[in-house]
């Protein structure tokens, strides 16, 4: 078995892993290695050919592929080691990584620190309790995106899309441009999940109807999809009897949510936050296992790739400091609590002297205008006004959160404002 | 003529009404001035970025993603796509390489939005020589 | 006969019935009833009446069209193709039963052909089975089911050794937490003894916890248990694939997408069949057609039973939910005893797990007239999910699916040479415990075929070249790191992981694609290798499996199907003009 000694191992060569590796090298880590299961770097961005990436980071509207290319070029120009077509099979709590590929066989990688950047997977038809038949023609949005954009094939001719998040909307436009008919986009929630820009440019531009509070309940067709049944849902998301409608189509595209892929993390002993779906993290994006960090969508599903890259850099900085012994072995960490209208916050716990810390959070329900507050006991650490808050959009801020006890982050409705 | 738009400049999503009377165009429903600008451009000359793929041969993948170097008039998108769909390129390609110049006389170029290598010869040998 | 009619009219006063009874005790029901469930209930009631061996149910349901397969066009198409094969044995159906029989008969000098209407082995009831190799304690003593179950369970050890499929003798335990339930255990114990179940024991609470330490963890105060050490687990499709592959290696031919549309007879003896691939001549025809077995038997002039499909829905959970017990544990309570005493045919199953440690919930059990209806509903899933403990949540579910049990009205296996058509052997109504009984069923059919040959004066001759062993294929996920390293060194294709959720390598998928009975669809690859069986359900690996499948079979990407004919995944290339119309 081939043994590899490395300072920082980055698991996953998507946007989080690329940013983490570059940052770690920039901060002086000597031997940085990216382990990527695909045959090329870039992760899921390689199938995101639409524009709108990098607005915060580069002040440009790049395509996903362009965004990835900037990082890939930088990695290729650096001395960061990359192992492609390499699958990590196991991470031990002692940070030993077992991975394999065709050319080197089994690898045992001993790493000073690890950055987990495996990304996420899509929820499937069974996970959203769609019933009826199980024919060909039911695919997740990501699979459709891959088939059309990378493999060059059309998996249907008339599609129904479930889920109005940006992924669902982008795929609606993609399929129209590829000559498919899109019967409509269905959304179980009462409000659309995607940005207004995408509602306008992906749906309105092509006169694709959006049906809110409506879901797909059944698929029909024993071999290939022939139709689906949609039904309106009540306040408890349960289909309302009598509202069923049968729609002829040959493709059902599911854009119904993402799940962080933490199977490796769990096996390494990393504790998972049931609300974020990712590891419990501290201000350095370090997990509960010292020396193992998490970044990108494996940490929490971000809405913007800019934040994914940012999280990679936070984790990389933490990993470099860990290697240098600068991260004290803190026994007790202060919890960060989700207060009023906050669904979850990352990081979930902080060291005593955490300093400037970047927080990422999502709201529980939409708010037109609210004041974000970050308090330690009675002390207000940070405050800002926010407008047009919605659960699909991530909110981020940076504040010095050193000292004190537990933190509470809340969003209080602004009285008298609309 | 009266047209309605949803403004996408900020998350406020104002519902704009653009009306034209005797050659004079007015925008209403906007909460800020940026809405006027958006409403006018959507009414007079709506433009969109174009992203799609073209066929590529000799590469690790059969499709190359491309992007317009600027926004293209909305009413020309279809014609541009037609042209792109009969375009084929050969690997290798660098991100930013121009695939089509001045597409459909829009003055806009179409560029590769990623770099793509030639198919690894070793890999194809292995598949062929099994 | 009058008695029978009277009894039925008393039980179903509102139904207009007429009956016919032949000298074999086959009761045929005619008339019209109110619902499909009532139709099934009448059939069950009739089958339990004295003097009735089995029931042909020709009842109609008022206002409901019962789907019927139209064999005419298939028959015409098959006839027009002329003679396609002349064999010694024709087996109709490639489920566990048909493949088991094919494998056992392959030891003789016989030309054997298996025809299967779908595109792969194990696509009917077999694939939707939960993989339990029951000990045989639950069957009614004296039935064919009871005898073949106990015998089949024992024979599985040999099958597993020869064919290299996974067989886990996990054992099963019915435990009680109230002393008042000892009589229930005792009743079960006596039944198990009557059936000849090996190793069955009644044990006290302390011994039960020793046998299953998981019971200590759950701290529920076990008072006693019935211990069934022979309970085992398999993957039903893995067993079937192993049988088919071994059969094929010994010369058995498999024709897929081939429906039997008629049975040809001459002077009361079977001489062949019309299939959609042409006429097949054969003097021995073995009917293993699952839910269609009644229709095939009728084609042979032997209308002696009716199959009423009983649908079962099973939910499979993420491996992250590991089973609480090593053996299959069943908490016997007053509630479960009450349910058992209800004598319902629609109890369904409970909670168990697969050899790969995925928990299975269900199956449910519901009667439905359509033999090919494999749809699921919220109600059926809720039933399956409701049979476990309260810690199980819908969010753990990665997939649910349905299968149709081929139930008849006697609710026993039908295995035997037709008294009407010589050479035509029914192996029908093989529902639970059909998987467990499969080796015994195959053995029994082997005897029937041998006896028939003897009678004809052409006794079966052993094939000296018969190879009972099927070589094991590597399963990367189960190897130690050092073994994995050695395997990749030997063949680098085992070093590329295609299915990340289940850790399935390119090498394993290629092994399957180059096997004696190669998979022809994405689902067929999944059943052989587990690629796409995990939590992402093929979201990531399907394009890679599709690529390998297309390459190995020499077909274009757009010809690859999910589950056989009519289920293409990709419809066309999206740049035909730029690519000169060619698919890659």
């Amino acid at each position: 078995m081939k043994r590899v000694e490395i300072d920082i191992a980055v698991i996953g060569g998507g946007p989080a892993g690329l940013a983490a590796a570059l940052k770690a090298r920039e901060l002086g880590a000597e031997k940085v290695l990216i382990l990527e299961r695909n045959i090329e770097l870039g992760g899921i961005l390689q199938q995101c050919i639409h524009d709108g990436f990098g607005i915060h980071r580069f002040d440009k509207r790049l395509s996903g592929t362009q965004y990835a290319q900037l990082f890939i070029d930088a990695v290729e120009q650096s001395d960061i080691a990359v192992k492609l077509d390499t699958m990590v099979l196991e991470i031990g709590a002692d940070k030993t990584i077992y991975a394999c590929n065709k050319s080197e066989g089994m690898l045992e990688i001993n790493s000073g620190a690890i950055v987990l950047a495996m990304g996420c997977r899509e929820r499937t038809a069974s996970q959203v309790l769609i019933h009826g038949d199980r024919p060909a023609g039911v695919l997740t949005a990501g699979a459709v995106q891959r088939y059309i954009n990378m493999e060059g094939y059309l998996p249907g001719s008339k599609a129904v899309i479930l889920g109005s998040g940006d992924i669902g909307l982008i795929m609606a436009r993609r399929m129209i441009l590829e000559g498919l008919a899109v019967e409509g986009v269905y959304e179980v929630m009462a409000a659309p999940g995607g940005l207004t820009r995408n509602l306008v440019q992906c749906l309105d531009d092509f006169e694709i109807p959006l049906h809110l509070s409506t879901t797909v309940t059944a698929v029909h067709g024993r071999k290939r999809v022939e139709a689906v049944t949609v039904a309106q849902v009540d306040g408890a998301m349960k289909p309302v009897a009598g509202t069923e409608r049968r729609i002829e189509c040959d493709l059902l595209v599911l854009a119904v949510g993402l799940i962080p892929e933490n199977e490796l993390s769990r096996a390494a002993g990393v504790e998972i936050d049931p609300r974020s779906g990712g590891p419990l993290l501290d201000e350095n994006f370090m997990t509960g296992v010292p020396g193992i960090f998490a970044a990108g969508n494996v940490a929490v599903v971000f809405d913007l790739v800019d934040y994914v890259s940012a999280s990679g850099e936070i984790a990389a900085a933490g990993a470099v400091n860990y290697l240098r012994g600068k991260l004290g072995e803190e026994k007790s960490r202060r919890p960060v609590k989700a207060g009023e209208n906050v669904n979850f916050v990352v990081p979930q716990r902080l060291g005593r002297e955490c300093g400037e810390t970047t927080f990422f959070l999502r709201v529980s329900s939409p708010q037109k205008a609210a004041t974000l507050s970050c308090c330690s006991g009675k002390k207000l650490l940070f405050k800002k006004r926010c407008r047009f808050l919605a659960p699909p959009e991530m909110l981020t801020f940076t504040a010095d959160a050193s000292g004190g006890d537990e933190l509470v982050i809340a969003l209080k409705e602004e009285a008298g404002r609309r | 003529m009266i047209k309605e738009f949803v403004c996408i400049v900020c998350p406020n999503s104002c519902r704009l009404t653009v009306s034209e009377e005797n050659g004079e165009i007015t925008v209403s429903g906007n909460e800020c001035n940026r809405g006027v600008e958006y409403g006018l451009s959507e009414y007079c000359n709506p433009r969109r970025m174009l992203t799609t793929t073209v066929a590529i041969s000799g590469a690790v993948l059969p499709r190359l993603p491309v992007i317009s170097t600027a926004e293209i008039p909305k009413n020309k998108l279809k014609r541009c796509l037609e042209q792109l769909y009969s375009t084929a390129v050969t690997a290798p390609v660098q991100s930013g390489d121009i695939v089509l110049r001045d597409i459909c006389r829009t003055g806009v170029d179409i560029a590769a939005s990623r770099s793509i290598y030639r198919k690894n010869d070793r890999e194809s040998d292995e598949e062929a020589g099994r | 006969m009058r008695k029978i009619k009277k009894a039925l009219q008393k039980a179903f006063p509102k139904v207009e019935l007429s009956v016919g009874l032949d000298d074999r005790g086959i009761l045929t029901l005619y008339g019209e009833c109110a619902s499909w469930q009532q139709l099934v209930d009448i059939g069950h009631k009739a089958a339990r009446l004295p003097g009735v061996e089995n029931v042909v149910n020709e009842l109609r349901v008022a206002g409901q069209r019962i789907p019927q397969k139209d064999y005419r066009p298939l028959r015409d198409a098959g006839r027009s193709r002329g003679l396609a094969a002349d064999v010694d044995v024709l087996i109709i159906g490639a489920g566990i039963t048909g493949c088991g029989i094919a494998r056992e008969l392959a030891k003789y000098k016989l030309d054997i052909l298996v025809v299967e209407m779908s595109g792969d082995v194990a696509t009917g009831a077999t694939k939707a089975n939960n993989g339990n190799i029951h000990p045989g304690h639950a069957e009614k003593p004296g039935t064919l089911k009871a005898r073949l179950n106990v015998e089949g369970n024992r024979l599985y050890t040999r099958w597993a050794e020869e064919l290299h499929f996974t067989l886990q003798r996990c054992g099963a335990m019915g435990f009680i937490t109230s002393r008042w339930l000892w009589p229930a255990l005792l009743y079960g114990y006596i039944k198990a003894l009557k059936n000849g179940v090996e190793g069955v024991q009644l044990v006290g609470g302390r011994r039960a916890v020793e046998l299953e330490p998981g019971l200590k963890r759950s701290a529920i105060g076990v008072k006693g248990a019935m211990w069934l050490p022979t309970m085992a687990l398999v993957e039903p499709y893995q067993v079937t694939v192993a049988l088919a592959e071994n059969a094929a290696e010994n010369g058995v031919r498999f024709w897929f997408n081939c429906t039997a549309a008629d049975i040809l007879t001459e002077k009361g003896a079977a001489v062949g069949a019309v299939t959609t691939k042409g006429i097949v001549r054969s003097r021995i025809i073995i009917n293993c057609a699952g839910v269609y077995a009644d229709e095939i038997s009728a084609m042979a002039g032997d209308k002696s039973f009716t199959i009423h499909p009983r649908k079962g829905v099973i939910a499979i959970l993420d491996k992250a939910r590991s089973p609480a017990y090593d053996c299959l544990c069943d908490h016997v309570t007053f509630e479960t005893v009450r349910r058992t005493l209800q004598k319902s045919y629609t109890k369904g199953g409970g909670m168990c797990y697969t050899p790969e440690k995925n928990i299975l919930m269900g199956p449910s059990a519901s009667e439905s007239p359509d033999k090919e209806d494999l749809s699921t509903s919220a109600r059926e899933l809720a039933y399956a999910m409701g049979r476990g403990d309260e810690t199980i949540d819908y969010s753990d579910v990665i997939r649910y699916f349905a299968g149709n049990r081929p139930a008849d009205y006697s609710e026993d296996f039908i295995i035997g040479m037709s008294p009407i058509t010589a050479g035509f052997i029914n192996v029908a109504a093989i529902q639970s415990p059909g998987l467990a009984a499969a080796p015994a069923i195959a053995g029994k059919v082997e005897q029937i075929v041998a006896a028939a040959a003897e009678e004809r004066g052409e006794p079966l001759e052993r094939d000296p070249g018969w190879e009972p062993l099927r070589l094991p294929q590597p399963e990367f996920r189960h190897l130690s790191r050092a073994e994995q390293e050695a395997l990749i060194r030997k063949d680098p294709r085992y070093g590329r992981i295609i299915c990340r959720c289940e850790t399935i390598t390119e090498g394993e998928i290629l092994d399957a694609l180059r096997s004696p009975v190669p998979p022809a669809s994405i689902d067929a690859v999944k059943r052989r290798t587990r690629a796409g069986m995990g939590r992402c359900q093929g979201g990531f690996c399907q394009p890679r499996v599709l690529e390998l499948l297309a390459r190995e079979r020499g077909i274009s990407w757009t010809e690859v199907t999910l589950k056989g004919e009519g289920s293409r995944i990709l419809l066309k290339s999206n740049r035909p003009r730029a690519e000169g119309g060619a698919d890659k």
Side-chain angles (χ1 to χ4, degrees), chain A residues 85 90 134 178 222 224, chain C residues 370 481 496 568 575:
Chain A
D85 208 1
E90 182 188 342
R134 293 168 301 287
E178 290 288 342
R222 289 178 184 174
R224 236 202 110 84
Chain C
D370 188 345
R481 298 282 173 238
R496 175 183 277 166
R568 291 193 303 149
R575 302 288 177 269

Side-chain angles (χ1 to χ4, degrees), chain A residues 40 46 49-51 63 65-66 69 76 102 149-152 174 177 196-197 200-201 205 388 418, chain B residues 6 8 12-13 31 48-49 51-53 61-63 65 67 74 81 85 95 113-115 117 126:
Chain A
E40 59 180 8
Q46 296 290 24
I49 66 166
H50 56 280
D51 69 319
S63 76
T65 49
Q66 286 177 314
Q69 195 69 54
E76 284 180 355
K102 277 179 148 181
N149 292 351
M150 296 185 79
E151 314 289 357
R174 251 334 266 150
L177 295 184
T196 306
R197 182 188 185 86
V200 169
Q201 297 197 347
D205 272 6
F388 309 111
R418 33 157 269 139
Chain B
V6 178
I8 64 168
N12 202 11
S13 306
E31 281 194 14
R48 296 287 184 265
M49 289 296 284
T51 60
T52 185
T53 66
L61 292 160
R63 295 291 177 268
I67 187 165
K74 210 170 132 183
L81 284 171
Y85 288 172
S95 181
S113 68
R114 64 165 286 181
S115 302
Y117 301 111
E126 186 192 327

Side-chain angles (χ1 to χ4, degrees), chain C residues 173-179 182 185 203-209 212 214-216 218-226 325 329 331:
Chain C
M173 191 182 276
F175 68 86
I176 54 171
T177 48
S178 159
R179 292 188 196 285
W182 268 110
L185 284 191
V203 295
R206 197 181 304 161
R207 177 73 184 132
V209 174
E212 175 48 66
L215 288 171
K216 195 190 275 170
S218 52
I220 40 178
V222 179
K223 298 288 191 292
M226 175 164 70
Y325 306 117
C329 278
H331 189 176

Side-chain angles (χ1 to χ4, degrees), chain A residues 6 13 18 39 86 97 101 103-104 120 144 167 195 225 234 244 249 272 283 330 357 370 378 381 385 403:
Chain A
I6 212 84
L18 290 167
I39 57 165
T86 302
I97 298 168
N101 62 34
S103 53
E104 296 167 293
C120 55
V144 173
I167 306 169
L195 299 169
V225 174
D234 60 20
E244 295 88 356
C249 63
I272 304 296
E283 67 275 14
E330 284 199 58
T357 300
K378 290 222 163 112
L381 300 177
R385 271 198 183 149

Side-chain angles (χ1 to χ4, degrees), chain B residues 5 20 35 53 69 86:
Chain B
F5 303 102
E20 183 173 357
T53 66
T69 51
S86 35

